[in-house]
Amino acid sequence: MASIDRPGPVLCFGEMLLRLSATGRGLLLQEERLDARFGGAEANVAVALAKLGRPAAMATILPDNAIGDAAIDALRRHGVIIDGIARRDGRMGLYFLTPGAGVRASAIFYDRVDSVFARARPGDFDWPALLAGVGRLHLSGITPALGPDSAELALEAVRAARAAGVPISFDGNYRARLWEAWDSDPRAILTELIRHADLLFGNHRDIALLLGRAFHGDGPERRREAALAAFAAFPNLRRIASTARHIEDADRHRLTARIDTPDAAFETAEIEVAGIIDRIGTGDAFAAGVLHSLADGEAAAAETGLALAALKHSIPGDFSLSGPRELAAFREGGRDVKR
């Protein structure tokens, strides 16, 4: 199946966040310092694509203050196009992270209520201008989970992209705590969003939520069953990309990746990721790897996505900073010091 992307940058739409985390691998506020970094699902994808040499742009709203300036500087430093970023008075959303270690899992809690992005309303973005010359729109299920206005904003974005003939990729990124904070109907909202997408990043659990029936992820045949049900329910979908993660402890995971189409599926061999530094953002790295290599076919896209996700586990912060050289070295299998 050939790529259906158009020429032009991938436009990533969503909220940027300031991440505050414990230093090292300690508990939050165990030490007197916090490590501050920028992130957010869609910004993570934009940065990862830019580091791979793929043009990527960000559409969001940032506070008109020094924190917003620093967020823009972070994107610009990594090569992301920032023309679609608006500025307003207000606050930036935060999230706090206690990194996992050994048998202790990582823990996250959000402080993003009333951020400048969460206060955005339908009509605040000039979608015809933002989508002009764009090759693909990428967004995730985090934006509609923020509240009713954010849900309408996400719907506005995908409808505008569909009307303009811009392909849409959607990452399920289901965040139960965000949806449960308001009188939401995630199944109805996500169904409408995915109806417009040609590429879904999601697994059997995401599909179960959308279709209201249980699917099991044990083995390729059962994952294929879920994918086929999604293709039947969403005729515009052309590909579903997913990973399967087996967690031994916070420091050692096993990963596979797969891409399903209506007619076929490709699944990678399982790899072990040990000595994990930071798991956050690995799914976004996978999405970026898939988007980067989609024109080369499903096998190449799945392999690149898996490689970029594996490498991201070794990088502190939300952003994947691996480029073509790091990908090539990973594929060659060299693990010794490069001199």
Side-chain angles (χ1 to χ4, degrees):
M1 183 180 294
S3 171
I4 50 180
D5 281 11
R6 310 189 312 176
V10 176
L11 178 65
C12 299
F13 171 60
E15 181 173 25
M16 282 193 75
L17 298 170
L18 179 62
R19 160 178 150 172
L20 300 174
S21 60
T23 57
R25 306 186 75 178
L27 300 175
L28 193 68
L29 300 180
Q30 178 181 356
E31 304 291 339
E32 296 178 349
R33 301 180 305 279
L34 290 175
D35 183 42
R37 300 174 187 268
F38 292 106
E42 297 81 9
N44 297 344
V45 172
V47 168
L49 285 169
K51 299 301 287 188
L52 291 171
R54 173 73 180 258
M58 188 72 197
T60 191
I61 300 176
L62 290 173
D64 191 12
N65 57 29
I67 297 175
D69 293 344
I72 287 178
D73 287 344
L75 293 176
R76 184 190 289 118
R77 182 168 65 252
H78 295 305
V80 176
I81 301 165
I82 59 170
D83 297 346
I85 298 178
R87 308 293 297 275
R88 289 186 179 173
D89 291 336
R91 66 178 295 250
M92 189 168 193
L94 308 176
Y95 84 88
F96 296 85
L97 168 69
T98 295
V103 296
R104 173 169 54 81
S106 297
I108 287 175
F109 67 90
Y110 296 108
D111 177 18
R112 58 200 301 174
V113 175
D114 203 37
S115 70
V116 289
F117 185 86
R119 287 162 48 189
R121 302 292 182 265
D124 284 354
F125 288 86
D126 185 351
W127 289 112
L130 287 169
L131 292 167
V134 163
R136 172 174 289 278
L137 173 68
H138 178 78
L139 71 165
S140 85
I142 295 175
T143 295
L146 296 177
D149 288 316
S150 297
E152 283 299 321
L153 190 60
L155 289 166
E156 181 182 69
V158 298
R159 288 166 181 159
R162 186 81 181 274
V166 175
I168 300 161
S169 53
F170 189 85
D171 192 332
N173 269 340
Y174 186 74
R175 299 292 186 266
R177 291 180 182 178
L178 295 178
W179 286 107
E180 291 165 2
W182 58 288
D183 184 19
S184 63
D185 186 349
R187 180 182 174 188
I189 293 167
L190 292 172
T191 294
E192 175 63 15
L193 287 164
I194 293 167
R195 188 174 69 82
H196 297 282
D198 65 271
L199 170 58
L200 171 66
F201 292 97
N203 59 22
H204 64 283
R205 288 183 293 272
D206 296 290
I207 295 169
L209 170 67
L210 292 168
L211 303 186
R213 51 182 282 207
F215 294 99
H216 297 283
D218 298 331
E221 294 80 10
R222 290 187 170 184
R223 289 195 282 273
R224 180 65 178 164
E225 178 188 3
L228 289 174
F231 288 126
F234 300 99
N236 195 57
L237 268 185
R238 303 284 297 279
R239 298 179 178 93
I240 299 173
S242 62
T243 58
R245 181 186 297 267
H246 299 278
I247 300 173
E248 297 183 16
D249 57 36
D251 304 297
R252 187 179 300 272
H253 297 180
R254 291 179 286 119
L255 296 175
T256 59
R258 66 181 282 130
I259 295 181
D260 287 89
T261 73
D263 302 318
F266 175 83
E267 183 162 337
T268 68
E270 187 177 67
I271 63 171
E272 183 177 81
V273 181
I276 294 172
I277 301 297
D278 197 329
R279 176 185 168 175
I280 307 302
T282 56
D284 304 320
F286 170 71
V290 169
L291 292 172
H292 177 66
S293 295
L294 206 53
D296 299 321
E298 283 72 36
E303 295 281 5
T304 302
L306 182 65
L308 205 66
L311 286 166
K312 170 60 193 71
H313 287 80
S314 69
I315 299 171
D318 275 34
F319 293 160
S320 167
L321 304 179
S322 299
R325 286 188 296 273
E326 289 79 15
L327 272 180
F330 180 87
R331 287 167 173 154
E332 291 166 4
R335 300 295 184 263
D336 201 357
V337 177
K338 306 294 188 296
R339 302 181 189 273

